[in-house]
Amino acid sequence: MESCTLAEETKPQLPLAELLTIIVTTSPIRSNPSTELLQRTFDTFQFAGREFAYECKKIIICDGCRVLEDDSGENTDSDEKKDDDPPKITRKYANVKQTLRNGIATVDQAKNYDEFKKRLHKLCTDSRGTQSVFCNTTVVELEERHGYGFALRHALYNSVETPYVCVIQHDRTFMRPTPIRQVLSAMESREEIKYVTMSMKSNLNYYDIFSSKFSRRACAELKTMIVRPQELNIKGSMYGPNGHSIANMVEPPSEKRRRLRDVARETYKASHQNIIYEEWVESESKSTRGVNQDGSHQLSLTPTLFWYDNTHIVRTVHYRDFIFNPVFKMVARGGFVEDKLSPIIKRSCERLGLEDGHAKFGCYILDDHSGDVFTGHLDGGSYNTAGLHVKKNASERR
């Protein structure tokens, strides 16, 4: 994998490590105790640049879990309850993935999770002073189950000293070179940008999603709110439909997925998300300013009314003092940030008007108009290591 070399118009004066802390959230999944999923995620940090991968402080926040009683009311391995055993519950869910998603583990799964955390500590300790993506990484364990939102809040309040954070879930990967440094520069120069999420499959054509739900008037207003900062006018032929970023992209693992990717690219070309950009490029080309010349390419920040928990950069103070302010109650304990916050953003826009309602949250989606996403999803809930595949095949043969 190549790490990205990004040309930029303006750099922040401070090193990236003094501006940005990376928070990675994790919780019990069935591939525990293997650390393979997290290692695959960390390996893609190189796509965000060397400073991001090797110099920035990283916090892995391990959420706690609750233990599910056996149907028989007995523990899997022992009938004796130890003083340090986590509290047990009896509620049942439809499948293993959903149960773990709700922070509920069987006795064996809880033990696997404990072993996973031990291996994670060792991985980070062994990486100190080396050129490993796990260098400068601290593991924080929560005794009780908080849920994604409150686990993130704990990390923000107790482990972050930088003005910005990059929040990444344990199964969210970078798919190609991503201009993290330039995004941060744009946020430094424009206070209205408080949150930037990297594009993914479900929001690549966000303007089209918005236009299917709201009026023409709202769509016209959203169009005027698209931000194209000078800091995201990036040289070096890195971005856009013919950029080097696409050439360095992680290839889909199968022919079927490659075909789906090609279809998605063609769909993007015909989307309003792309047509609006092409119209803007044409209008700028007619002016004396010009655009996308000499290998440079202008990236866009599209306003969003949905707060995606996918990989994003946020002002630390915005998270601490506003989003997680207990007075506003915008994030529920045990849940995801996006679940409760996104409807609040929508109601804010309905009450105050689109521009003023959105300004309070200042959330945007990064798009380089190549038709490809910046981030992917390994789906931790369904992730199978090679060992799990062997067990599954063995059970199917019985």
Side-chain angles (χ1 to χ4, degrees):
M1 180 188 301
E2 295 185 21
S3 63
C4 51
T5 304
L6 303 173
E8 53 193 42
E9 197 70 21
T10 306
K11 290 184 178 180
Q13 294 181 347
L14 294 173
L16 191 65
E18 295 183 28
L19 293 170
L20 184 71
T21 298
I22 303 165
I23 301 176
V24 180
T25 61
T26 190
S27 57
I29 53 176
R30 62 183 183 179
S31 64
N32 296 149
S34 171
T35 59
E36 179 183 310
L37 175 72
L38 210 52
Q39 286 178 277
R40 287 185 61 184
T41 297
F42 268 65
D43 283 343
T44 68
F45 286 6
Q46 298 172 74
F47 277 141
R50 288 192 58 81
E51 282 185 290
F52 184 93
Y54 301 112
E55 297 176 19
C56 286
K57 178 183 177 181
K58 309 177 195 74
I59 306 296
I60 302 177
I61 187 81
C62 301
D63 198 7
C65 66
R66 297 169 290 173
V67 177
L68 181 68
E69 285 278 18
D70 256 4
D71 291 335
S72 61
E74 299 178 349
N75 287 347
T76 302
D77 299 304
S78 174
D79 292 337
E80 297 180 3
K81 185 182 186 312
K82 299 179 182 179
D83 293 336
D84 59 350
D85 279 350
K88 295 180 171 58
I89 61 169
T90 57
R91 185 177 178 182
K92 302 296 190 294
Y93 287 86
N95 56 64
V96 173
K97 180 178 179 179
Q98 187 59 46
T99 304
L100 289 172
R101 183 180 174 86
N102 284 277
I104 303 168
T106 64
V107 173
D108 285 342
Q109 288 168 343
K111 289 182 177 180
N112 286 339
Y113 186 47
D114 287 339
E115 176 61 26
F116 161 79
K117 288 183 283 188
K118 290 177 183 178
R119 294 183 186 184
L120 200 55
H121 277 290
K122 185 177 187 304
L123 185 61
C124 296
T125 301
D126 292 346
S127 298
R128 290 174 185 169
T130 68
Q131 279 297 300
S132 165
V133 286
F134 280 91
C135 65
N136 301 322
T137 301
T138 302
V139 179
V140 177
E141 296 185 42
L142 301 180
E143 293 184 3
E144 298 179 353
R145 200 248 172 177
H146 288 59
Y148 167 82
F150 273 45
L152 172 58
R153 187 185 72 163
H154 183 279
L156 285 163
Y157 285 155
N158 296 282
S159 304
V160 176
E161 298 177 351
T162 54
Y164 298 91
V165 292
C166 181
V167 182
I168 303 174
Q169 293 173 312
H170 60 183
D171 55 359
R172 295 286 179 173
T173 59
F174 291 100
M175 298 298 291
R176 58 189 175 102
T178 305
I180 295 295
R181 184 82 194 218
Q182 287 88 337
V183 168
L184 206 58
S185 297
M187 296 178 75
E188 284 275 271
S189 65
R190 306 188 67 152
E191 292 185 0
E192 71 269 24
I193 306 172
K194 300 178 176 68
Y195 157 108
V196 176
T197 185
M198 310 305 129
S199 62
M200 59 179 178
K201 185 178 178 180
S202 64
N203 65 18
L204 185 60
N205 300 332
Y206 181 79
Y207 186 90
D208 298 71
I209 297 171
F210 183 90
S211 63
S212 70
K213 298 178 179 179
F214 298 96
S215 66
R216 289 185 179 181
R217 181 178 178 181
C219 292
E221 186 174 1
L222 187 77
K223 182 178 177 180
T224 66
M225 294 165 57
I226 297 173
V227 180
R228 300 181 179 94
Q230 179 62 31
E231 291 81 5
L232 291 178
N233 185 14
I234 301 174
K235 297 182 179 179
S237 301
M238 178 60 73
Y239 296 102
N242 300 310
H244 300 315
S245 178
I246 300 299
N248 292 332
M249 189 166 187
V250 175
E251 276 293 309
S254 66
E255 181 61 32
K256 179 181 178 180
R257 292 194 178 184
R258 283 190 286 272
R259 288 198 300 269
L260 289 173
R261 177 202 59 190
D262 294 339
V263 169
R265 286 175 176 174
E266 293 302 315
T267 301
Y268 180 85
K269 289 179 183 178
S271 69
H272 289 290
Q273 176 84 16
N274 187 52
I275 292 171
I276 289 171
Y277 178 75
E278 290 182 343
E279 290 175 348
W280 175 81
V281 170
E282 186 177 355
S283 66
E284 289 292 297
S285 299
K286 292 178 180 177
S287 68
T288 55
R289 295 186 295 271
V291 69
N292 292 358
Q293 298 176 354
D294 301 323
S296 67
H297 187 81
Q298 180 66 58
L299 284 72
S300 302
L301 297 176
T302 305
T304 170
L305 305 192
F306 195 94
W307 186 283
Y308 293 93
D309 287 333
N310 181 47
T311 302
H312 57 278
I313 297 176
V314 189
R315 297 179 186 274
T316 304
V317 68
H318 188 53
Y319 248 144
R320 283 176 178 163
D321 298 346
F322 182 56
I323 303 301
F324 285 115
N325 190 322
V327 174
F328 302 135
K329 298 180 179 178
M330 293 191 289
V331 181
R333 185 180 183 88
F336 288 85
V337 176
E338 65 183 27
D339 291 343
K340 189 173 181 180
L341 183 57
S342 299
I344 291 174
I345 298 174
K346 181 181 176 182
R347 289 196 296 271
S348 174
C349 293
E350 291 171 346
R351 186 175 67 253
L352 302 175
L354 183 58
E355 187 168 357
D356 291 341
H358 176 269
K360 294 169 59 178
F361 301 91
C363 39
Y364 296 84
I365 301 171
L366 179 68
D367 185 9
D368 75 335
H369 306 283
S370 65
D372 274 302
V373 299
F374 281 113
T375 58
H377 187 205
L378 293 174
D379 191 3
S382 302
Y383 189 82
N384 281 335
T385 61
L388 284 176
H389 280 298
V390 170
K391 289 182 179 179
K392 181 180 178 182
N393 293 335
S395 64
E396 288 175 351
R397 286 195 297 266
R398 291 173 184 170

